Amino acid sequence: MNSHRAERIVKAAIAVSVFLASAAVWWPAQAARIKELASVQGVRANQLTGYGLVVGLDGTGDQSTQAPYTPQSLAAMLQQMGVTLPPGVTMQPRNVAAVMITTELPAFAQPGQRLDINVSSVGNAKSLRGGTLIATPLKGADGQIYAMAQGNLIVGGAGASAGGSKVQINHLAAGRIPEGATVERAVPTPLGQGGVMQLDLNANDFTTARAVAASINEIKGPGTAQALDGRVVKVRLPAEPGEMVGFIADIENLNVTLAKPAAKVVLNARTGSVVMNEAVTLSECAVAHGSLSVAISSTPVISQPGPLSQGQTVVTEKADIAITQQGGSLVQLPAGAKLADVVKALNSLGATPQDLLAILQAMKSAGALKAELEVI
């Protein structure tokens, strides 16, 4: 009797273990590495900008009458090269364009490294295709020069015009120079000062901050990391400076199990886009949706003067405006505990994305939509 009972217990334990294994397969925990969730404070890029000239254009440069700064910049550059223009001479070059150069100086960049740069027209140049950027200093927010830019532009577009007709593909007023800038000065990056490193989470979430600290403490020992708030995690670095890079590399590749995010619906009022995450739920409610359309038609009316009246023909317009409103029946939406149920309920309304913007806001005000609304 005891043997049969023990056999039943073993079979039940096997069944439970199989069920748990299948549950782990069907409902996997969502995980991400720390490098996708946070960044090391101080390790960041710096924006660089510069003003320069692009030469060698095929008659598609700035018009000096509407962009007087272009010939002024050209005259200043020629003067630095020893060419002095006679007084009263006004240049009207058509092969030169004033441009702005932008790029990012990565963290730990050293002198001599190359950077990709973007070149954009600031005048009325028709095209930068085929142009060459003259040596231009790139400055940071502090006004110091950190890189020098020069090179031939790559413009991903084409255009042609003749007889008042014009054909254009893509954008011609901006281009790119791969490895077009050379770093001249390095930016000191503070890392590990005081034996402590700070991890800044990409999103403010207390659960994620606690999970990041717990994951680090599990591998590197208790007390290594401490979550200060929903965005900042302090990490104690090793005493040996040579071990710091390997220590940070190990931390960045640690997996963190993510909790279910807060319910949020993002609305784009300009495009009508609606995006919601998996945590959005819907309580039972009723919605009435109707459409409103406005039609405007204009008809020209010609009034002819009488014979020998020396009058003039007058052309006026007659406008007809019609407003049509279509009523919508009251639709009952069932409660939805899953994202698929919420999508199915909203699709049953037959509303356009623009109408959904107003419907979702009204459902939020009524307490039926369990989510945070964010309008971008």
Side-chain angles (χ1 to χ4, degrees), residues 45 186-187 201 205 251 254 258 339:
V187 177
L201 300 184
D205 187 79
I251 288 179
L254 292 179
L258 300 179
L339 179 61

Side-chain angles (χ1 to χ4, degrees), residues 189-206:
T189 302
L191 182 63
Q193 293 183 350
V196 178
M197 177 184 66
Q198 177 174 320
L199 292 177
D200 297 331
L201 300 184
N202 300 331
N204 184 17
D205 187 79
F206 289 95

Side-chain angles (χ1 to χ4, degrees), residues 16 20 35-36 76 93 110 130 135 137 152 154 169-170 225 239 252 265 275 295 301-302:
V16 171
L20 294 177
K35 65 169 55 180
E36 279 95 30
Q110 298 300 315
N152 298 323
I154 296 178
I169 302 175
N170 295 335
E252 285 186 335
V265 179
V275 179
V301 178
I302 301 176

Side-chain angles (χ1 to χ4, degrees), residues 149-161:
Q150 182 171 286
N152 298 323
L153 270 74
I154 296 178
V155 179
S161 61

Side-chain angles (χ1 to χ4, degrees), residues 48 101 103 105 112-115 117 133-139 145-151 179-185:
L48 303 180
I101 301 96
T103 188
L105 182 66
Q113 293 184 353
R114 309 287 293 186
L115 305 176
I117 60 175
L133 176 68
I134 303 301
T136 304
L138 302 181
K139 300 180 180 180
I145 297 176
Y146 288 93
M148 291 294 297
Q150 182 171 286
E179 297 185 352
T182 304
V183 178
E184 301 292 338
R185 177 184 301 181

Side-chain angles (χ1 to χ4, degrees), residues 10 18 42 80 108 116 131 133 192 201 203 267 271 302 309 316 341 358:
V10 171
V18 171
Q80 292 180 357
F108 308 114
D116 297 342
L133 176 68
L201 300 184
L267 311 176
T271 62
I302 301 176
S309 63
T316 59
D341 300 333

